[in-house]
Structures are given as C-alpha cells and as structure tokens.
Amino acid sequence: NLSPNGDEGPVTIAAMVRPKTPRRSPEKTMRVLKSVKKKYGDRVAVTIFGCESDDPQFLRLPRDFVFDHRGILIREEVADLLRHIDIFIDLSEYQAFGRAGLEAMACGCATILPGNCGTSEYATHRGNTLLVNTQDANEVIRAIEELIESDKLRKDISRKGISTALNYNITKAVISELMLFREAISKRHRAN
C-alpha cells in the first residue's frame, strides 16, 4: 500500500472523536477503528482528534488498541493532519451538511461519510466518497476494508473528492447567503 506521499507504508486513517457530541458516534467510531486495527495491524495507522486525552467521557471509550491521539485541533491543524491521511471516516448519525467530510476531500482524503443526510449535497456513493449507513458497524468496516485493500479505489475517490471540494469556496458561500437574504427581503416587501 502507498501512503499519501506515494511511499510504501501503512494506510493512514483519521476520525474525529468528540464524546461531548453523541450524534458523532464516538463509541462506535472507536469500536470500528479498533476492529480495523486488530485485523490489519501495522498495515494501518489510526489517528483521532476532537477531545482531550483526559476527558472523562473519552476515557470510557474503547481505547485498547494502538492509535495516535492529537487532542483538540484548530482548523489549520486539522487541515495539516488531513493532508497526510489516506482515509477520513465520519460515523455521525446525522450531518446537516458535513463540512468535515468536504474539508477532508479538499485535503485529498478518501472519505467514508454518513448517507441519507446533508452530505448528499456534495457526496456521491462510489464517486467521490463511500456513503454508509452509520448505524451498521459491519457496513462501515467493509467500506474501510475496501479502501485499505484497493489503492486504485482509494486514489480515485481521493481525486474526485478534491475535484468536488473545488466547487465549494468562501466566495460562493457568501454569494449564496446574499441571494438568500435578498430573496427574503424581496418576499417581505411584496407582503407589505
């Protein structure tokens, strides 16, 4: 397997683990990562971020496997981490939009994201991501295994994810919000 830099090495996997936000499924995320690490051993390297190491809620999660814990990261640190990661997983029960997934795409990660929610605005299954039912840990594990075992699929999804992320930027977001406000003001004036 090739690392993001094209070197031989473990496939790198990252996930946000934030126990204070239950909808992000921190326990399931750790159980899934543990299962993948147990199966693949040194063929994978796992990194998590999103909480402090001594967070009491984090200490109750499954942690009996090897992983790198980066703690709470600021935006630039998240981007720096993701630029060196092969696979980013988000096992949230629901995402209104799923910005973390789009940011991971922009950084070149192959992503595994929750299906049937706001990620559908930019995510296409087997196109630029693998969409999964996050309630089904076995489905999630199969998706991760597929990306670990197929360099081609991982690279294709990564490349298409970067292309997708290029369509989302601050200027477009501002214009979209301005159009929304303009429409609301126009409706208000027509009502009066």
Side-chain angles (χ1 to χ4, degrees), residues 49-95:
F49 62 96
C51 67
E52 296 295 347
S53 299
D54 61 354
D55 179 324
Q57 291 177 305
F58 175 69
L59 295 175
R60 290 192 289 270
L61 299 177
R63 296 175 296 111
D64 54 335
F65 64 102
V66 176
F67 60 91
D68 177 18
H69 186 203
R70 300 286 180 94
I72 297 174
L73 303 178
I74 62 171
R75 183 177 307 184
E76 293 80 12
E77 292 170 326
V78 172
D80 185 53
L81 168 65
L82 293 178
R83 280 193 291 274
H84 298 93
I85 295 294
D86 294 305
I87 302 168
F88 174 78
I89 65 168
D90 179 349
L91 301 187
S92 298
E93 294 172 8
Y94 178 80
Q95 284 286 8

Side-chain angles (χ1 to χ4, degrees), residues 3-192:
S3 72
N5 300 325
D7 302 324
E8 284 290 326
V11 174
T12 54
I13 303 169
M16 180 190 300
V17 175
R18 195 177 337 160
K20 293 178 181 168
T21 313
R23 74 173 174 83
R24 291 205 176 268
S25 303
E27 183 175 352
K28 184 180 299 164
T29 300
M30 291 299 284
R31 278 190 283 114
V32 162
L33 291 171
K34 176 182 174 178
S35 176
V36 169
K37 184 67 176 168
K38 181 178 179 181
K39 178 174 181 175
Y40 289 96
D42 292 340
R43 287 184 56 201
V44 298
V46 173
T47 301
I48 64 166
F49 62 96
C51 67
E52 296 295 347
S53 299
D54 61 354
D55 179 324
Q57 291 177 305
F58 175 69
L59 295 175
R60 290 192 289 270
L61 299 177
R63 296 175 296 111
D64 54 335
F65 64 102
V66 176
F67 60 91
D68 177 18
H69 186 203
R70 300 286 180 94
I72 297 174
L73 303 178
I74 62 171
R75 183 177 307 184
E76 293 80 12
E77 292 170 326
V78 172
D80 185 53
L81 168 65
L82 293 178
R83 280 193 291 274
H84 298 93
I85 295 294
D86 294 305
I87 302 168
F88 174 78
I89 65 168
D90 179 349
L91 301 187
S92 298
E93 294 172 8
Y94 178 80
Q95 284 286 8
F97 178 76
R99 188 179 73 199
L102 188 61
E103 289 172 347
M105 286 179 177
C107 292
C109 297
T111 56
I112 296 174
L113 304 174
N116 298 322
C117 63
T119 56
S120 64
E121 185 167 328
Y122 63 87
T124 56
H125 183 56
R126 304 195 79 73
N128 60 10
T129 192
L130 294 182
L131 294 173
V132 295
N133 171 1
T134 58
Q135 300 301 310
D136 184 345
N138 291 325
E139 180 180 331
V140 173
I141 290 169
R142 285 191 303 272
I144 295 170
E145 289 173 347
E146 188 174 6
L147 289 179
I148 290 170
E149 294 176 12
S150 175
D151 290 338
K152 181 184 181 323
L153 178 63
R154 196 172 59 247
K155 288 176 184 176
D156 286 348
I157 285 177
S158 169
R159 189 179 66 254
K160 290 174 183 172
I162 291 169
S163 179
T164 297
L166 290 172
N167 293 318
Y168 294 83
N169 59 55
I170 293 173
T171 302
K172 286 183 178 181
V174 169
I175 290 170
S176 172
E177 287 183 20
L178 287 173
M179 296 303 291
L180 178 69
F181 291 134
R182 182 178 175 190
E183 184 179 327
I185 291 169
S186 178
K187 284 181 182 177
R188 189 173 189 180
H189 286 308
R190 285 193 303 263
N192 292 333

